[in-house]
């Protein structure tokens, strides 16, 4: 058996005396050997010779790591681990098993019980110290990440809630401006229209961020039910009737009588107003005046409905196509008539489609690539109800 080499511990751990390790082994000699290995490094140690004592200790204190013998009398180490992990205070505490068992089945059983690692008996001091350091470092990193997520959540609360109120007030001022005598001036009208569009874009960004964050944090639950695609698509056609007319774009909704009642597993509101509305809005935005946007439905043999939204627009450049679903890469760009976008639409669409258990694929030929034909087709494959 090797002795501790005194190698430096990671600076990330800081003062080791702040870290408490629970040692659980029915053999006092093993407990002494573990203590001789860990105490010189500065760790604070707790001891238990059986599972009940370990659980009792953890009712009153929260160790930073547990070194747990598998072969305990009565309640074995696997059951002790399961009960420790059931304690809310120990849910994130790493449990490392100490065992003379070297077979894969025992190790798998330990991982299934909630353990994160194994140290074989008789153990090597250097290996033991390295594994202890590794799992404490990982725990610290997880805690740091959790704190960062809380800070992000707080910041996004300010963005999505506190900024909404002044934006709404400014939108109200824009409406009041329309009754002023000076509003009759064409230049003034154009100015206020631009202000209104910019504010609308900001509200759209806030709503997308709020929606995505709620989904990521599990604060928004989606109950999947059979949704009639025909109803959803007709609703979207009505929503965008004005925009289609304004840009003289024809919506070719290929909804034949036999397809009108096709149903998929989804949630009506998000499918209609988040998924389909984003896809149709993008198709209009990046299409030239007078072109066609086509929506078609096809049944696939694997129990899925293939829904595609195709435009004859400017397409998506290859570099942007690679990051089209990314939350942290810039994907916003102006439309063919300088319409503004948020860059959050497609990541949100993908998130919803995956919640439905579906798939999304983007096929595009960019005008800048020099090809004779340009345009984008979005393919959705949704589970048939």
């Amino acid at each position: 058996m090797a002795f501790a080499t005194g190698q430096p511990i990671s600076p990330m751990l800081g003062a080791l005396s702040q870290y408490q390790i629970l040692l659980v082994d029915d053999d006092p000699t093993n407990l002494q050997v573990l203590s001789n290995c860990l105490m010189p490094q500065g760790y604070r140690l707790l001891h238990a010779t059986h599972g009940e004592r370990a659980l009792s200790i953890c009712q009153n204190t929260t160790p930073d790591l547990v070194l747990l013998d598998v072969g305990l009398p009565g309640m074995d180490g696997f059951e002790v681990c399961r009960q420790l992990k059931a304690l809310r205070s120990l849910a994130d505490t790493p449990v490392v098993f100490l065992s003379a068992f070297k077979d894969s089945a025992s190790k798998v059983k330990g991982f299934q019980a909630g353990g994160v690692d194994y140290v074989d008996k008789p153990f090597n001091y250097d290996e033991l110290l390295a594994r202890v350091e590794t799992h404490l470092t990982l725990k610290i990193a997880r805690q740091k990440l959790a704190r960062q997520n809380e800070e992000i959540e707080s910041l996004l609360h300010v963005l999505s809630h506190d900024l909404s109120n002044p934006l709404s007030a400014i939108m109200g001022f824009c409406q009041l401006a329309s009754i002023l005598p000076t509003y009759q001036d064409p230049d003034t009208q154009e100015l206020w229209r631009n202000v209104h569009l910019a504010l609308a874009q900001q509200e759209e960004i806030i709503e997308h961020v709020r929606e995505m964050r709620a989904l990521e944090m599990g604060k928004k639950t989606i109950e999947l039910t059979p949704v009639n695609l025909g109803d959803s698509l007709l609703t979207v056609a009505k929503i965008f009737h004005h925009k289609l007319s304004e840009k003289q774009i024809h919506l070719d909704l290929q909804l034949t009588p036999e397809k009108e009642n096709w149903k998929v597993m989804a949630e009506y509101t998000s499918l209609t107003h988040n998924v389909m509305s984003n896809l149709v809005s993008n198709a209009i935005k990046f299409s030239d005046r007078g072109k066609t946007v086509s929506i078609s439905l096809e049944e696939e043999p694997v129990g899925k409905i293939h829904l595609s939204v195709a435009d004859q627009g400017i397409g998506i450049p290859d570099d942007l196509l690679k990051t089209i679903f990314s939350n942290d890469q810039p994907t916003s760009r102006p439309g063919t008539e300088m319409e503004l976008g948020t860059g959050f639409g497609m990541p949100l669409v993908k998130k919803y489609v995956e919640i439905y258990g579906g798939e999304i694929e983007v096929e595009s030929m960019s005008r800048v690539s020099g090809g004779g034909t340009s345009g984008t087709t979005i393919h959705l494959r949704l589970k048939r109800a």
Side-chain angles (χ1 to χ4, degrees), residues 314 365-374:
I314 58 176
M365 176 65 72
S366 173
R367 189 168 295 170
V368 297
S369 64
T373 303
S374 63

Side-chain angles (χ1 to χ4, degrees), residues 110-175:
F111 292 132
Q112 291 174 338
V116 297
D117 206 348
Y118 260 89
V119 175
D120 293 327
K121 290 183 177 181
F123 49 80
N124 177 284
Y125 278 19
D126 290 335
E127 178 188 359
L128 177 66
L129 288 174
R131 290 179 187 270
V132 166
E133 177 191 348
T134 295
H135 290 294
L136 284 174
T137 302
L138 289 172
K139 181 185 178 184
I140 294 166
R142 288 194 297 270
Q143 290 174 335
K144 182 179 179 181
L145 184 60
R147 287 194 298 270
Q148 289 175 340
N149 282 336
E150 289 175 0
E151 292 170 0
I152 292 172
E153 180 70 13
S154 177
L155 181 62
L156 288 177
H157 177 76
V158 172
L159 174 66
S160 62
H161 182 268
D162 295 358
L163 290 182
S164 294
N165 293 332
L167 280 176
S168 297
I170 298 171
M171 291 283 276
F173 295 148
C174 288
Q175 294 173 351

Side-chain angles (χ1 to χ4, degrees), residues 18-58:
Q18 67 180 300
Y19 299 106
Q20 188 168 244
I21 300 175
L22 172 61
L23 310 178
V24 188
D25 198 307
D26 64 315
D27 187 339
T29 301
N30 284 339
L31 288 177
Q32 188 60 54
V33 170
L34 290 169
S35 298
N36 290 344
C37 175
L38 296 167
M39 285 186 66
Q41 304 301 318
Y43 295 113
R44 292 184 293 121
L45 304 179
L46 298 167
H47 300 85
T49 55
H50 53 82
E52 290 79 3
R53 176 57 181 159
L55 291 168
S56 176
I57 289 173
C58 291

Side-chain angles (χ1 to χ4, degrees), residues 221-243:
T221 57
I222 302 294
E223 182 180 351
L224 303 186
T225 60
V227 174
N228 188 309
L229 275 177
D231 291 345
S232 179
L233 293 174
L234 289 172
T235 298
V236 171
K238 291 177 183 177
I239 291 172
F240 288 96
H241 175 75
H242 178 70
K243 281 190 176 181

